[in-house]
Amino acid sequence: NAGVTQTPKFQVLKTGQSMTLQCAQDMNHEYMSWYRQDPGMGLRLIHYSVGAGITDQGEVPNGYNVSRSTTEDFPLRLLSAAPSQTSVYFCASSYRGGEEKLFFGSGTQLSVL
Amino acid sequence: GENVGLHLPTLSVQEGDNSIINCAYSNSASDYFIWYKQESGKGPQFIIDIRSNMDKRQGQRVTVLLNKTVKHLSLQIAATQPGDSAVYFCAESTGFQKLVFGTGTRLLVSP
């Protein structure tokens, strides 16, 4: 199993541009989520999904959109990038019964200029 | 992804020593706690967990201790190895998708 795969690993955007961060998992996990990691702060939850077709907001959802059309994929869309969205983004998945035992991808380092 | 990095507390140990990483949590209602390890350029990796009805839990070379009276969690790593060098995060939870992560401690292991 590849686990949780994120692409791209690095991205530079200009303010106002939009882009999609891709996330795929091959473990048949029901739950998927997106976190951002900023210096001096813990990981913060952006959006999560409990299954295909079901998404919900986390702690810091503004400026981001998600959808879950399949069990495997959970893309994160930045609608209009802002410098405050410069961060490292992690996608994670987990299984029913072990919801908090997150399996993380290797991250996307995003810079918004 | 890069580790959260600029001003992380750092614990430096010699190879073979035992390491103790501490974490103070904030919510007395938290009933589940997890330790994650994050190596440079990688995502966090689950190490060990403990529920609030326990005081201690042991894994392979790792032990987690929970003191609910003072809201303190610790991770003990026995016979620390260079491969243990990483940033370690504690996380507390009061329920599904209510994980709150700490800011992390960097562990540096010298040969």
Side-chain angles (χ1 to χ4, degrees):
Chain A
N1 286 351
V4 179
T5 302
Q6 288 184 239
T7 56
K9 288 192 177 299
F10 302 95
Q11 182 71 50
V12 179
L13 293 177
K14 295 181 180 179
T15 297
Q17 286 185 314
S18 62
M19 78 158 296
T20 300
L21 307 185
Q22 301 292 343
C23 175
Q25 53 95 5
D26 62 358
M27 298 174 284
N28 204 30
H29 285 174
E30 289 188 60
Y31 308 116
M32 297 187 74
S33 49
W34 277 100
Y35 287 83
R36 59 178 289 172
Q37 185 176 44
D38 301 294
M41 307 186 75
L43 290 154
R44 292 183 292 167
L45 181 64
I46 304 171
H47 284 287
Y48 65 95
S49 168
V50 300
I54 307 170
T55 64
D56 206 345
Q57 296 180 350
E59 181 186 353
V60 288
N62 293 340
Y64 307 95
N65 227 350
V66 292
S67 60
R68 182 109 179 262
S69 56
T70 66
T71 301
E72 295 78 20
D73 299 299
F74 191 44
L76 178 72
R77 295 182 189 83
L78 278 70
L79 308 173
S80 177
S84 61
Q85 294 178 304
T86 294
S87 188
V88 181
Y89 291 85
F90 289 100
C91 178
S93 71
S94 59
Y95 54 89
R96 182 181 291 275
E99 289 84 353
E100 288 108 336
K101 292 183 183 179
L102 301 174
F103 291 76
F104 284 91
S106 57
T108 295
Q109 190 164 347
L110 176 68
S111 296
V112 183
L113 307 178
Chain B
E2 292 294 321
N3 288 331
V4 175
L6 296 182
H7 302 292
L8 280 180
T10 299
L11 174 66
S12 296
V13 302
Q14 295 285 330
E15 182 177 1
D17 286 352
N18 295 332
S19 302
I20 300 177
I21 300 171
N22 296 304
C23 176
Y25 65 92
S26 56
N27 190 345
S28 57
S30 293
D31 59 1
Y32 182 59
F33 304 87
I34 306 177
W35 281 99
Y36 285 91
K37 172 186 180 182
Q38 186 175 23
E39 297 175 87
S40 182
K42 297 184 179 179
Q45 178 184 8
F46 172 89
I47 302 174
I48 192 168
D49 58 354
I50 188 168
R51 297 234 168 248
S52 59
N53 61 352
M54 302 173 69
D55 297 323
K56 178 179 180 179
R57 191 167 188 211
Q58 287 185 290
Q60 188 177 11
R61 281 202 308 120
V62 294
T63 301
V64 56
L65 298 177
L66 175 63
N67 185 331
K68 295 179 289 292
T69 303
V70 295
K71 293 191 286 188
H72 184 267
L73 196 64
S74 68
L75 178 70
Q76 301 180 357
I77 304 173
T80 313
Q81 302 167 0
D84 295 326
S85 293
V87 175
Y88 291 81
F89 297 92
C90 66
E92 59 181 299
S93 175
T94 55
F96 177 63
Q97 293 299 358
K98 291 182 169 61
L99 265 178
V100 176
F101 286 85
T103 54
T105 296
R106 187 184 307 278
L107 176 65
L108 294 176
V109 183
S110 307

